[in-house]
DNA sequence: AGAAACATCACCCATATGGGTGATTTTACA
DNA sequence: TGTAAAATCACCCATATGGGTGATGTTTCT
């Protein structure tokens, strides 16, 4: 994965850089402006993605009939059994998502999700995700919001 | 994910390139740099939101479908949406058993369990066993025994 | 500074799961 | 009595999941 990201990033960067250099030569425009513009565009797109994602998470939480949310925030002190990240992953699991979907949601690799889940299973003493979800609910780590409307 | 990264990278590159080309056209006529940057940023944020929303919609599609059917399940709870056998299988699923274990428990074949579960998923409008278990709990089909986890 | 926990990711492998099709037998009931 | 629903099972195929090992960078706390 590191190789993939690095490769695609380098390829993209090389394309853009060469295009920018070509343009500079043709148009005789200062290079700094291009780079600055590039940075602004990339950062802005990132902000946009973040905004869109946050918005959709809010919408989803508001209009779903039955979702599972993490409630460890209210009991962090004595309930340090699961880390925040593990709890977040477990919440997605309880909502029926696949590892692939969770990975895409959290912008990490599927292997990372599997790693977190292995840790969760170990800590909860279970061997499968469904059992982990139910144990988490019964133990108070997760809570089912059932809004029947 | 590799495809996603590559795709997003190429898309980003294309966008930036087109933006850069656009700037060439605009810069032919003296224009205020700040305003142009602002426009670029706004457009890029919009693109980012669109990208994030599109992707997130794809990822969230299944969960949305599941919540809808959770409402239906609640409304028809007394009409026995699930058969006794399906409910029995689902209970074992919620206890974290594999299909093989459930089959051995109920003295039927694993294929039968899979068949029942396919019916359960269809009726509850879900695609995975964990989601089915959580929906069943939130809809009142199942109850969680308080484990001392 | 160094240890411990945490988060991240890769690679391999075996099994579990879900989806689809189709079939037979039993049971309920109109 | 005929039909519809339910329960049972087989087979194929693609993907998901769990288990194990090991590695790297970052926090955090001592």
């Amino acid at each position: 994965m590191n190789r993939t990201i690095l490769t695609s990033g380098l390829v993209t960067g090389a394309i853009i850089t060469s295009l920018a250099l070509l343009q500079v030569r043709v148009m005789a425009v200062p290079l700094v402006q291009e780079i600055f513009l590039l940075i602004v565009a990339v950062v802005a797109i990132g902000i946009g993605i973040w905004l869109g994602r946050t918005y959709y998470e809010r919408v989803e939480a508001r209009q779903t009939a039955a979702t599972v949310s993490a409630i460890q925030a209210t009991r962090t002190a004595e309930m340090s059994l699961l880390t925040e990240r593990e709890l977040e992953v477990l919440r997605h699991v309880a909502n029926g998502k696949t590892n692939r979907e969770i990975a895409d949601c959290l912008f990490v690799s599927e292997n990372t999700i599997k790693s977190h889940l292995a840790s969760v299973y170990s800590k909860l003493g279970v061997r499968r995700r469904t059992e982990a979800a139910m144990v988490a609910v019964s133990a108070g780590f997760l809570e089912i919001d059932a809004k029947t409307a």
Side-chain angles (χ1 to χ4, degrees), chain A:
Chain A
M1 185 57 82
N2 282 333
R3 228 176 312 149
T4 313
I5 293 177
L6 214 57
T7 307
S8 60
L10 286 178
V11 167
T12 308
I15 293 174
I16 292 173
T17 304
S18 53
L19 282 175
L21 285 175
L22 183 68
Q23 185 181 313
V24 167
R25 283 195 189 160
V26 173
M27 301 303 295
V29 174
L31 186 59
V32 247
Q33 289 180 10
E34 312 298 336
I35 294 180
F36 186 64
L37 185 71
L38 189 147
I39 293 173
V40 167
V42 168
V43 169
I45 286 179
I47 290 174
I49 289 178
W50 180 80
L51 282 176
R53 203 171 70 100
T54 306
Y55 169 77
Y56 259 80
E57 265 178 356
R58 240 200 316 259
V59 167
E60 166 210 345
R62 215 184 310 126
Q63 67 186 185
T64 51
T67 56
V68 177
S69 57
I71 58 174
Q72 197 183 27
T74 59
R75 51 202 306 181
T76 34
E78 66 279 18
M79 287 298 186
S80 59
L81 186 62
L82 299 181
T83 69
E84 285 300 316
R85 202 56 163 167
E86 288 162 357
L87 208 51
E88 193 174 10
V89 171
L90 188 53
R91 182 174 62 83
H92 286 287
V93 166
N95 279 325
K97 289 183 180 170
T98 66
N99 292 341
R100 172 78 273 140
E101 290 167 345
I102 300 171
D104 290 342
C105 263
L106 301 184
F107 296 114
V108 296
S109 84
E110 191 177 344
N111 284 312
T112 301
I113 300 302
K114 289 167 69 174
S115 176
H116 284 311
L117 282 181
S119 176
V120 168
Y121 300 153
S122 167
K123 288 179 179 178
L124 295 186
V126 299
R127 296 179 72 80
R128 269 169 290 279
R129 56 175 42 216
T130 303
E131 199 177 2
M134 303 302 277
V135 167
V137 169
S138 69
F141 289 119
L142 296 179
E143 147 178 287
I144 303 178
D145 308 320
K147 312 168 196 165
T148 46

